[in-house]
Amino acid sequence: MPRYELTYPKEVHNTVKRYNSRATYALKTIHAIIDEAQLLHVSFQPDNSPFPAILPMIGAMGSFARPSADSGDVLDLYLHGYVSSRLINISRAKTGTEEGKEGAKDETPAGLPVTIAASHVDGLVLALSPNAHSYNYRSAVLFGYATVVTDVPEKLYAMEKITNGVVPGRWSQTRVPPNNAEMQSTSVLKVRIVTGSAKFRTGNTHDERCDLDDESVLNSVWAGVLPVHTTLGNPIPAPYNRIKPIPEYLEQFRTDFNTRSHATAVEAAVEPTDGKMDTDLQDD
Amino acid sequence: MPRYELTYPKEVHNTVKRYNSRATYALKTIHAIIDEAQLLHVSFQPDNSPFPAILPMIGAMGSFARPSADSGDVLDLYLHGYVSSRLINISRAKTGTEEGKEGAKDETPAGLPVTIAASHVDGLVLALSPNAHSYNYRSAVLFGYATVVTDVPEKLYAMEKITNGVVPGRWSQTRVPPNNAEMQSTSVLKVRIVTGSAKFRTGNTHDERCDLDDESVLNSVWAGVLPVHTTLGNPIPAPYNRIKPIPEYLEQFRTDFNTRSHATAVEAAVEPTDGKMDTDLQDD
C-alpha cells in the first residue's frame, strides 16, 4: 500500500472542467471503477478513418513487476484480445523495436495511444423538471500507450488477472495452463497509463428553486431515484457440465456480487447530493 | 415501417472481420441496442491530444423530419450535452455555415466525426478452459457527424425523446416545457449517421474437443452461464416528493424493465451457441 494517496497528473485531455467536486484523480478510485466494470470501452484513432474506433473489451489493472501492488499503486491495464484483430495488429506495429522501448532516448512513446472508459449507472435521478434529471453514476477514463505482451510469464500473469477479474478465483478452477495453440491465438495488450480521471454523482434529486416553490409542480410530479444495479441470475449449466451443485466459490461470488451491487446503488441514492445543479453526465 | 430491412453500408471502419455470423448491419437491430442502453460512450479525436476522448452520454435515436419513423428507418442520434462542454464547443465550431450544410457542394461533411458505442452484457460464459471463456453480449457502434441543434422545435423534440428514452412517458409527467434559462444552458447534438454495425453472442459454453474428451477436466470444472441483467430497485423518493404512492406509469416501467432485462439474459444463455470458438469479445 502506498504511504500517500497517488493521483494522476492533470493534463489537457483528462482535466475535468465542470462539476469539479464530482471529479477525482486518485489512482485508487479510478482503478477500482475500471476493475469493477465487466466491460471496458477502448478507443483509438485509426490512420485511415475520420472516426475513432471503439471496442468493448475485458481488462484488469495489474503490475507484473510488483504483483503485490494494491489498487492505489501505479499499475498497468491489461486487455484481452485476439491475435489477428486490428487493434492488436496496430499495437504490435507500434510496440516498436529496441529504440521504442522504455528507457530509450526516443521521445515518441512506444505503443498505440488508447483511451479506456468504464462507466457504471447507479440510479435514474428523476427530478421535477426534465432538465434536472440525471443519473447517479461512476465513470473513469484512462489514457495510455498499448503494446503487445510478448513475455510468456507476463502474458500468463495477465490472463490469470483478467480471468479472475471476471470471477474471483476462477483461473485455478479451470483447465490450466493454456496449451500452445491457446497461447498463440490469444494476445494480451498492456497499456502503460499516462493519466486518467474519474467522475461520479451521488444523492437524490436536486431541483431548481422555482420548481421547489411551485405547489402545482410539487403536487403533480414524482421526484426521486430509481436505483440501478447489475444482477447475476441463477446459473445455467452447460449441457456437458458434470459438477452439481454449483461450486461454493461461484455461489459465494454471485451472492457477494449481487449484495454489493444493490448496496452501491442504494447508498449512492441516500448520500448527500452535491451542491451543483444537474444537467447531464458529461462535463468534458 | 420500411418495406425492406435497411442495412448500413460496409465501410473500412465498420466492417466486422471476425465472427461474421455474430455481426449485423441491420438498422433495426443496431438502433434497438443503442436505445436500450442507459449510457452511450461517445468518442472523438481532439486536435491537441494523441488520445481520443470518450464521454459517457445519454442519447436516443429519432427523426425530427419524420417523427413516426420506426427503429428500422434511417434515423439520427440525439445526444444531450451541456452548453459549455468541450464536445459541444468543438461540434459547434464544426457545425459550419451555409456551405457546410446538407446538400452543399462542399465535400467535407459538416460536423465533428464521432463514434458512439453501446454495449450490454447478458451473461458470463464460464467454460472448461480460461481461453474459451466469453460473455453473452450485444454491442453496437455508430459512426457519424455531430452538429449542434439550433432549431428550437427540433431541440424540444430531441429533449423529449431523450427523457422518454430513460423512462417512457416521463416528459409529460414533469414540469414542461423547459424555461428560457434551461433552453439556453442545455445543448443537443444531432449525429447524422454514416454507418454502423452490431455484434452479439448468445448460447452456453463452447469448449475445445480436447477438453470435452478429458474426463478429469469434465469432473473438476463447472461449465455454464451466469446470466447478467440490469435491475431497477425500489424507488427512493426525494425528501420533497409529495406523490405517494409512486405513480402507476413508473411502477409499470420498473416491472416491465426488470422482466425484459431478466428474460433477455436467460434467453441469450439458452439459445444455440454458434459454431465458432470463443476467445474474446472484440473482433475488429
Side-chain angles (χ1 to χ4, degrees), chain A residues 47 96 124 129 145 151 173 190:
Chain A
D47 288 334
L124 310 182
S129 73
Y145 292 91
D151 180 61
Q173 302 291 329
K190 174 188 193 166

Side-chain angles (χ1 to χ4, degrees), chain B residues 162-181:
Chain B
I162 292 166
T163 303
N164 288 343
V166 176
V167 178
R170 177 69 183 168
W171 179 267
S172 64
Q173 302 291 329
T174 60
R175 193 270 295 152
V176 283
N179 59 37
N180 282 343

Side-chain angles (χ1 to χ4, degrees), chain A residues 1-8 25-32 35 61-63 66-77 142 193:
Chain A
M1 191 149 94
R3 276 170 297 177
Y4 306 100
E5 185 177 79
L6 299 176
T7 59
Y8 281 116
Y25 300 89
L27 272 62
K28 197 181 188 73
T29 307
I30 295 167
H31 296 168
D35 275 338
M61 306 301 306
S63 172
R66 202 150 67 86
S68 65
D70 84 0
S71 68
D73 283 321
V74 173
L75 299 174
D76 300 305
L77 172 63
L142 289 174
I193 306 301

Side-chain angles (χ1 to χ4, degrees), chain A residues 52 86 115 207 231 240 279 284, chain B residues 52 80 86 115 207 231 240 284:
Chain A
R86 184 162 60 128
T115 305
D207 270 292
T231 304
Y240 51 83
T279 55
D284 200 79
Chain B
H80 183 247
R86 184 163 58 129
T115 305
D207 270 292
T231 304
Y240 50 84
D284 199 81

Side-chain angles (χ1 to χ4, degrees), chain A residues 12-13 17-18 38-39 41 43-45 48-52 54-58 80-82 84-88 113-117 119 121 124 126-131 133 135 139 141 143-145 159 163 166-167 170-171 173-176 178-179 182 186 194 204-208 210-212 215 217-243 246-247 250 253-254 266 269-270 279-284, chain B residues 12-13 17-18 38-39 41 43-45 48-52 54-58 80-82 84-88 113-117 119 121 124 126-131 133 135 139 143-145 159 163 166-167 170-171 173-176 178-179 182 186 194 204-208 210-212 215 217-243 246-247 250 253-254 266 269-270 279-284:
Chain A
V12 63
H13 37 267
K17 297 187 188 64
R18 290 184 58 229
Q38 289 177 320
L39 273 186
H41 283 90
S43 184
F44 66 97
Q45 180 62 56
N48 58 351
S49 166
F51 304 108
I54 307 185
L55 302 173
M57 294 182 80
I58 305 178
H80 183 247
Y82 184 80
S84 70
S85 75
R86 184 162 60 128
L87 172 58
I88 300 284
V114 294
T115 305
I116 301 99
S119 305
V121 178
L124 310 182
L126 307 179
L128 298 172
S129 73
N131 281 62
H133 278 53
Y135 281 179
S139 75
V141 63
F143 304 91
Y145 292 91
M159 290 164 78
T163 303
V166 177
V167 178
R170 177 68 182 167
W171 178 267
Q173 302 291 329
T174 61
R175 192 271 294 153
V176 283
N179 59 37
E182 289 166 343
T186 301
V194 173
N204 212 302
T205 51
H206 187 97
D207 270 292
E208 297 264 17
C210 67
D211 291 317
L212 294 170
E215 290 288 315
V217 170
L218 287 170
N219 288 328
S220 63
V221 182
W222 187 86
V225 174
L226 298 185
V228 177
H229 56 98
T230 305
T231 304
L232 296 176
N234 291 322
I236 300 173
Y240 51 83
N241 174 65
R242 292 187 188 173
I243 311 297
I246 189 172
L250 279 176
F253 161 63
R254 220 166 67 80
V266 172
V270 299
T279 55
D280 65 353
L281 295 183
Q282 56 95 4
D283 59 69
D284 200 79
Chain B
V12 63
H13 36 269
K17 296 187 189 64
R18 289 184 58 228
Q38 290 177 319
L39 273 186
H41 283 90
S43 184
F44 65 98
Q45 181 61 56
N48 58 352
S49 167
F51 304 108
I54 308 185
L55 301 174
M57 294 182 80
I58 305 178
H80 183 247
Y82 183 80
S84 69
S85 75
R86 184 163 58 129
L87 171 59
I88 300 284
V114 293
T115 305
I116 301 99
S119 305
V121 177
L124 310 182
L126 308 180
L128 297 173
S129 73
N131 281 61
H133 277 54
Y135 281 178
S139 75
F143 304 90
Y145 292 91
M159 289 163 78
T163 303
V166 176
V167 178
R170 177 69 183 168
W171 179 267
Q173 302 291 329
T174 60
R175 193 270 295 152
V176 283
N179 59 37
E182 289 167 343
T186 302
V194 174
N204 212 303
T205 51
H206 187 95
D207 270 292
E208 297 263 18
C210 67
D211 290 316
L212 293 170
E215 290 288 315
V217 170
L218 287 171
N219 288 330
S220 62
V221 182
W222 186 87
V225 174
L226 298 185
V228 177
H229 56 98
T230 304
T231 304
L232 296 175
N234 291 321
I236 300 173
Y240 50 84
N241 174 64
R242 292 188 189 172
I243 311 297
I246 189 171
L250 278 176
F253 161 63
R254 220 166 65 80
V266 171
V270 300
T279 54
D280 67 353
L281 295 183
Q282 56 97 3
D283 59 71
D284 199 81

Side-chain angles (χ1 to χ4, degrees), chain B residues 43-149:
Chain B
S43 184
F44 65 98
Q45 181 61 56
D47 287 335
N48 58 352
S49 167
F51 304 108
I54 308 185
L55 301 174
M57 294 182 80
I58 305 178
M61 306 301 306
S63 171
F64 179 64
R66 201 150 69 85
S68 66
D70 84 0
S71 68
D73 282 322
V74 173
L75 300 173
D76 299 307
L77 173 63
Y78 289 101
L79 295 168
H80 183 247
Y82 183 80
V83 73
S84 69
S85 75
R86 184 163 58 129
L87 171 59
I88 300 284
N89 286 339
I90 298 175
S91 298
R92 183 180 294 110
K94 303 218 175 188
T95 298
T97 50
E98 287 309 313
E99 68 274 17
K101 288 188 179 161
E102 273 184 84
K105 297 291 176 291
D106 189 340
E107 285 183 25
T108 306
L112 175 72
V114 293
T115 305
I116 301 99
S119 305
H120 305 265
V121 177
D122 293 325
L124 310 182
V125 180
L126 308 180
L128 297 173
S129 73
N131 281 61
H133 277 54
S134 188
Y135 281 178
N136 283 335
Y137 68 98
R138 291 161 288 145
S139 75
V141 63
L142 290 173
F143 304 90
Y145 292 91
T147 54
V148 176
V149 175

